[in-house]
Amino acid sequence: MAGRTAGHTTAQAAAPPLRASDDDRLAVVHRLQDAVARGLLRPDEGSDRMAAAFAAVHVGDLAPLTADLPPVVAVAPGAPGWRPLGALAWQQVRTSVAAARHGSSATVRLALAAVVALVLLVTVLSLLAHGLFDGGPADFRSPGFDGPDGFDGGPGPR
């Protein structure tokens, strides 16, 4: 009986490694893309790891590619799509501020460009809102204006 058990464990130990499927490779690539988007990996490092994931033959080759990454935070099913996006944006802002503290001039320029873009976006949106909700420049009505074309409800041409 002892011989059978020993033979059985050596057969298990000599089993060939499992081959990776396309779904296995894509799951690792999606996790690496998420890590790059969250700022956990530099884009060039993420690209190298993604290339290695697509070239992986066995499942065991995929595990080291994500071993140093934190676990994926699961989002509850049915959660609104803006909440995870807002959390990622907040995490990116925190990462940018932390990098700016270390004196990275490229990060400071990027943060300044983001602030300028945000100010321009708010300005354009406020102008659009003013035009849509306050009558805007197309509102030619004024007290006592009875144009000859009947635009303001006047008699118009005869």
Side-chain angles (χ1 to χ4, degrees):
M1 182 91 173
R4 257 198 236 175
T5 308
H8 189 294
T9 52
T10 55
Q12 284 179 342
L18 292 175
R19 294 188 65 86
S21 69
D22 287 340
D23 289 338
D24 295 333
R25 291 183 198 94
L26 286 176
V28 170
V29 168
H30 287 300
R31 187 157 179 219
L32 292 170
Q33 287 173 337
D34 180 60
V36 170
R38 292 173 47 198
L40 298 171
L41 294 174
R42 293 184 321 271
D44 57 337
E45 185 180 6
S47 177
D48 292 342
R49 289 188 187 194
M50 286 181 230
F54 281 124
V57 176
H58 299 103
V59 174
D61 299 335
L62 295 172
L65 299 174
T66 58
D68 61 339
L69 299 176
V72 177
V73 178
V75 177
W82 289 104
R83 184 167 294 170
L85 184 61
L88 287 175
W90 177 248
Q91 192 171 22
Q92 183 64 39
V93 167
R94 286 180 45 204
T95 305
S96 296
V97 168
R101 287 184 184 166
H102 296 302
S104 172
S105 62
T107 305
V108 172
R109 284 191 302 245
L110 180 65
L112 183 60
V115 168
V116 169
L118 183 63
V119 167
L120 287 173
L121 179 68
V122 168
T123 303
V124 168
L125 289 176
S126 67
L127 288 173
L128 285 173
H130 176 72
L132 291 174
F133 299 115
D134 292 341
D139 190 9
F140 293 112
R141 295 182 210 180
S142 61
F145 178 74
D146 279 334
D149 61 352
F151 182 73
D152 284 342
R158 293 186 190 172

